Amino acid sequence: MDHCILLLYFLPLLFIFLIFKIVYQKRHQGCYILDYQCYKPTDDRMLSTEFSGELIMRNKNLGLDEYKFLLKAIVSSGIGEQTYGPRSVFAGRERNPKHEDGIHEMEEFFDSIDVLLKRAQVSPSEIDVLVVNVSMLASVPSLSSRIISMYKMREDIKSYNLSGMGCSASLVSINVVENIFKSQKNLNALVVTTESLSPNSYSGNERSMILADCLFRSGGCAILLTNKPSLRNKAMFKLKCLVRTHHGGREESYNCCIQKEDHAGKLGFHLDKTLPMAATRAFIDNFKEASPKILPILEKLRFALLSFRRKIIKSSNNAGAKPVIDFKTGVDHFCLHTGGKAVIEGIGKSLGLDEYDLEPSRMTLHRFGNTSASSLWYVLGYMEAKKRLKKGDKVFMISFGAGFKCNSCLWEVIRDLNGDGNAWNECIESYPRKNLANPFLEKFGWIQNEDISTFKYPE
Amino acid sequence: MPPPLMPNFNNSVKLKYVKLGYQYLINHFLTFTLLPITLTLLLQLRYSPDEYLRLWNSLRFDFVHVLCSAFLIIMISTTYFTSKSHSVYLVNYACFKPPRACRAPFSTFMEHSKLILNSEPKSVDFQMKILERSGLGEETCLPIAIHFIPPSPTLEASGGEAELVIFSAMDSLFEKTGIKPNDVHILIVNCSLFSPTPSLSAMVINKYKMRGNVKSYNLSGMGCSAGLISIDLARDLLQVHKNSNAIVVSTEIITPNYYQGKERSMLVPNCLFRMGGAAVLLSNRRTFRTQAKYRLLHVVRTQKGADDKAFRCVYEEEDREGKVGISLSKDLMAIAGVALKSNITTLGPLVLPTSEQLLFLISLISRKIFNPKGKPYIPDFKQAFEHFCIHAGGRAVIDELQKNLQLSAEHVEASRMTLHRFGNTSSSSLWYELSYIEAKGRMKRGDRVWQIAFGSGFKCNSAVWKCMSSVETMGNNGPWDDCIDRYPVYIPEVVKL
């Protein structure tokens, strides 16, 4: 049967075909960022120290103790003079916002989408997937429908509107897109991440709840992603891995950052004192899962050897220093969620980062404040504007969110980036700033010396 | 008189058989052509038993040849199995059964309405008219906070309703399927108008102490068709995550969204939306193949947001007094019709048998060439599906779809009865309807179900499922258990209140 011999020749061909098929599939499964655009609101929305002070005084429910508490918090917050607030605050309507305020706030932000699509030369009808995440606004029709309506996107678009997922929601959106990219070929995706502040002002006097108003600022980001192999060379970043950790199963973690009503029935966002601990716990778990995927083999081997050596030495009661993972062998740049100065410093210490690594996050906190889910992208924008991102560099993003979640991901830089059209372009020259202290202490420090019996509300 | 009737009857019978014959021919075209060819080939290759023996003995079972053949078989089977997309199975689902204490019969609802809107008798009359023609029954339920006079929609009350609905459904689901909360890899919760931080998905993870690397997603604002959007997301995720279980929770929390003003177009949702929720377990594990009830065949999504009128037809806004409510535009039915047409245009080629597709093609060509003003041929979807679950959005929606798709009363019975017993429970209504069909013992193995829902935006989404096992009516443990024998009921056009 000579036919069997023919089969012998046929086999290598089949083998090659199989390999080719696998490679082809992998090529179409990559998640690339084509471009992104952070939102810079107009200058008339800047919250200066004077105005912030005024805002706080407007809440007649607050007493001297609360003022002192707030002063301490804001002074050490790391937030500067040029952060942005929602329009309803400037119109004096923060206590009774209209439904329209929330919607208009979002629509103003959608201009960034225009800028992004024009620059990337992608028309709205070429978008196949749209994921929008806004934590504190649920409207009918959803924001994703609003965007589809405004830009006249296609009928068969896959749209998802995520909400309530906190400050780490933009990585959840990227996760959705990553998964869709793995199951279908040749797609363009648009991720829109922002936060709604207008409808969420707190008008009571619970300390844990008044803090949220002082820390969150307006901001947002639109990101264009694709898995088309042909656009690989035009892309900016490639997703290497994404790890999500959810500590909702633990009571303390779940309750440390939660929206609820105070004793008077007023709705506010409660930030518990145990928040840093919950964050650390979540971070450790996330780290455990992410580090094997991020660290190069040499570093893993080195750590394994050192730990092994320590274990052996320990048995003879002469343990040396605990081996520490040098995260910087696998990562060149760090994007830390700008949740507050304490958060940035906490993570910096855990990962062994120096001033240079923490600079982008610190400066973002100073310039834009805590913009919730979109903060990571402002930090990335800073690095880009400072021309730190070169081909082959690895960028590590980590963020925390209500629930309690800790999400992290690793991006690889595809080409040298020079930050055209970045939100930082106009002010990058004045950064990094050495003195990050805000004038709050100078202007309002007198409150520290006031006595509650003689205190009179300033008009 | 009898003589004129007789020819008509004969004609219609003949036509029926002609139609049947045509369908049989086209649908089994391949069989009809290949069968004669194979038979003739076999006849040609007639060998005697000796010749077969000689053929067998001449095969040389050389080691190399055996290896090559084995290798070939393995390669072909690996290629086949790796290129197949993972099947998504619906293992089981559970619907929330509201407690009797939450019932809102017509009398309660109208009394409530009169007390709250006592300054606007016209609005009260309007609500009564809507309720009379709504198709709802006396056993639909509203959450406890809405029974208060005036309603007290606090965050705590909304959270309470969410916990009651979602946790009851999830407990029931865990019991029915036997899986543990720790075994859930993906969790998707969709609730349109209530979205606290942390999300409802975090609330579920907290209650059931789910694993730390559960992938959770919380969709909101996506309207009454959000359940199918969640199923679409779960399907995409299950293609990537092997051997995983996904739970989809669909609900609508009524407490924070009860309109307390007097604008008429915004009072309609108050009359229709009721408490309800469902939890569905999807999986791509092969071990569930024998246990699963359904297999997901297709999900088709249509988004008509690009058209401004469609976008504004279900819109949340403030009325003149600053009270927030959802206004429904008068063009809702027309827009729904257009969205439906787009959806079935994409769905049709995927599910219709060849005979219907051919007829549609012929009618399309003839319209284009011969008669541009002719009526378009509406394909007979009854041949593609055995059961229909139409979102119980309101009586008008069901009527409209029945007319457009030429369905019989039995096909839309599940939708009408769900609307009567549970009201419009938004995204979970499809699961109550499926439960009705199962409770009635109509679901057989191999039956195909078409779930179709509309939502704000304006969306029209469909899902097609295939039944994998015969579903027993006994011990189904569904929301219809105690009342299925009373159904179907006759729902008059107007109930006199």
Side-chain angles (χ1 to χ4, degrees), chain A residues 1-2 4-5 7-8 10-11 14-18 21 25 97-100 103 107 134-150 152-166 172 175-176 178-180 182-184 244-251 254-255 257-261 267-269 289 402-405, chain B residues 58-60 64-65 67-69 71-72 75-76 78-79 82-83 153-157 192-207 209-223 229-230 232-233 235-237 239-241 301-308 311-312 314-318 324 326 342-343 456-459:
Chain A
M1 302 290 268
D2 302 314
C4 286
I5 301 190
L7 275 172
L8 205 61
F10 215 29
L11 273 170
L14 266 162
F15 198 58
I16 294 170
F17 170 71
L18 204 67
K21 201 167 167 357
Q25 251 178 350
K98 299 213 291 240
H99 178 78
E100 288 299 308
I103 306 288
E107 287 182 346
V134 175
S135 225
M136 317 243 274
L137 182 72
S139 71
V140 165
S142 60
L143 289 169
S144 53
S145 295
R146 209 166 276 275
I147 295 178
I148 293 172
S149 161
M150 264 175 91
K152 310 278 177 266
M153 294 185 174
R154 285 200 329 253
E155 261 178 30
D156 59 347
I157 192 170
K158 262 186 200 287
S159 65
Y160 296 100
N161 192 72
L162 302 172
S163 95
M165 306 204 85
V172 175
N175 182 226
V176 172
E178 179 199 6
N179 281 314
I180 298 179
K182 285 196 184 147
S183 53
Q184 289 173 43
R244 290 177 60 181
T245 306
H246 202 298
H247 272 199
R250 299 176 201 220
E251 281 304 318
Y254 179 69
N255 286 315
C257 177
I258 186 169
Q259 202 178 20
K260 62 183 190 191
E261 282 154 346
L267 192 61
F269 203 75
E289 206 184 318
F404 199 81
K405 306 174 186 66
Chain B
S58 72
L59 280 173
R60 289 191 342 257
V64 178
H65 289 136
L67 199 66
C68 291
S69 326
F71 206 39
L72 189 69
M75 287 266 268
I76 293 179
T78 348
T79 330
T82 47
S83 62
T154 57
L155 182 71
E156 212 179 312
S192 241
L193 284 166
F194 177 56
S195 186
T197 306
S199 57
L200 291 172
S201 57
M203 185 179 85
V204 171
I205 294 174
N206 175 252
K207 161 86 167 141
K209 311 276 177 268
M210 292 187 176
R211 45 162 70 184
N213 58 359
V214 65
K215 306 269 181 293
S216 66
Y217 304 90
N218 191 77
L219 302 174
S220 90
M222 307 203 85
I229 295 179
S230 309
D232 186 30
L233 180 61
R235 181 185 62 158
D236 283 336
L237 290 168
Q239 301 300 321
V240 178
H241 299 259
R301 293 174 61 177
T302 309
Q303 233 284 14
K304 284 299 218 186
D307 175 22
D308 284 327
F311 176 66
R312 288 204 73 102
V314 177
Y315 203 73
E316 186 185 21
E317 57 191 357
E318 276 176 359
V324 179
I326 301 176
S342 298
N343 192 289
S456 64
F458 195 78
K459 305 175 187 64

Side-chain angles (χ1 to χ4, degrees), chain B residues 32-86:
Chain B
F32 282 136
T33 43
L34 281 180
L35 203 62
I37 295 176
T38 350
L39 276 172
T40 38
L41 270 174
L42 276 175
L43 284 170
Q44 291 286 344
L45 293 171
R46 255 187 336 232
Y47 285 149
S48 64
D50 284 335
E51 286 189 334
Y52 277 121
L53 209 62
R54 229 187 308 140
L55 206 64
W56 176 255
N57 286 331
S58 72
L59 280 173
R60 289 191 342 257
F61 284 104
D62 205 348
F63 180 66
V64 178
H65 289 136
V66 169
L67 199 66
C68 291
S69 326
F71 206 39
L72 189 69
I73 294 170
I74 293 171
M75 287 266 268
I76 293 179
S77 39
T78 348
T79 330
Y80 175 67
F81 281 120
T82 47
S83 62
K84 241 171 38 136
S85 58
H86 296 284

